[in-house]
Amino acid sequence: MKIMTETWGQFKSFEGKQFKTFDAEFTQKVSNLLGGQDLTACFQCAKCSAGCPVSDKVNIQVHELMRMLLFGLEEVLETDMVWLCTTCYTCQERCPQGIDITDIIFGLKNMAFQKGITPAGYISARQSLYDKGRLYEPTDWEREDLELDDVPELDVNEIKKMLESTKLMKLQETE
Ligand code: SF4
Ligand code: SF4
């Protein structure tokens, strides 16, 4: 699983890292996200990280991610924690301060995506969904092996219409 973290995510460690500035505006921006209202209540107990199922796969633990947010460090968007989070909500359930941690991470994913900081697999999945209406295209021979009918026809234009209405395909660098 380590390979996964090595293929993307520029921020891998605090060691030797020099931060240019602590950006209070960034903290405020995250506080304004859905679920971000209690962000500053974090007192770094690390209970979130203690229950996180991907804690042994990530470079930055979730309580460290929260610390970065409190310090207004936008580099947080380049941490693998943002994308390796499975959105299981364990941290959110465990937080003694009632912080909506998982919801905040959803927001960070969106922010990272808009800045083009996204694992390649997510980009190709989005494109595949748009072009073919599926994330994975089953082949006829696979279905034949299972004695199933041919792959049903799909109206890709309907899928495109739905995706266009969500503006998913327009998400890109906005700043
Ligand atoms: S469990 Fe809550 S209070 Fe504790 S470090 Fe995590 S976010 Fe902060
Ligand atoms: S929601 Fe994400 S960060 Fe929170 S415990 Fe689950 S995997 Fe870890």
Side-chain angles (χ1 to χ4, degrees):
M1 286 304 288
K2 196 67 186 165
I3 291 169
M4 199 170 167
T5 65
E6 285 169 358
T7 54
W8 55 273
Q10 298 301 310
F11 192 100
K12 300 190 188 303
S13 166
F14 289 98
E15 207 174 319
K17 183 81 184 164
Q18 297 281 324
F19 296 104
K20 286 190 197 116
T21 177
F22 292 162
D23 182 355
E25 272 184 33
F26 181 68
T27 304
Q28 189 57 51
K29 202 168 161 186
V30 177
S31 296
N32 292 340
L33 293 175
L34 183 71
Q37 66 283 346
D38 298 320
L39 169 66
T40 55
C42 173
F43 56 16
Q44 286 293 286
C45 67
K47 205 173 163 194
C48 46
S49 297
C52 176
V54 297
S55 63
D56 63 336
K57 306 287 186 297
V58 288
N59 294 316
I60 304 298
Q61 299 296 310
V62 63
H63 75 282
E64 293 175 315
L65 173 146
M66 295 299 284
R67 193 65 167 163
M68 290 181 82
L69 293 178
L70 290 172
F71 280 144
L73 301 176
E74 202 167 337
E75 287 92 337
V76 72
L77 300 178
E78 297 174 18
T79 64
D80 55 4
M81 184 74 245
V82 172
W83 289 101
L84 287 183
C85 167
T86 63
T87 66
C88 69
Y89 280 89
T90 303
C91 54
Q92 193 157 316
E93 290 291 320
R94 288 169 62 95
C95 178
Q97 297 291 79
I99 302 170
D100 296 338
I101 308 169
T102 314
D103 295 334
I104 290 173
I105 296 176
F106 268 119
L108 295 180
K109 281 186 169 84
N110 287 335
M111 286 171 94
F113 199 104
Q114 287 171 337
K115 287 182 168 295
I117 309 168
T118 317
Y122 283 76
I123 302 288
S124 54
R126 177 180 71 158
Q127 200 60 49
S128 171
L129 202 55
Y130 185 79
D131 293 340
K132 300 172 189 159
R134 299 183 172 99
L135 291 176
Y136 166 72
E137 218 170 0
T139 52
D140 285 333
W141 62 264
E142 283 171 308
R143 295 179 66 88
E144 273 169 29
D145 286 350
L146 295 169
E147 298 179 1
L148 297 171
D149 294 337
D150 290 346
V151 179
E153 286 296 322
L154 188 68
D155 187 346
V156 179
N157 289 327
E158 283 187 1
I159 309 276
K160 287 186 175 175
K161 205 169 168 183
M162 282 190 279
L163 290 180
E164 277 160 13
S165 77
T166 68
K167 301 193 172 53
L168 177 69
M169 302 309 293
K170 291 191 191 306
L171 266 187
Q172 53 188 281
E173 180 76 42
T174 56
E175 293 179 359

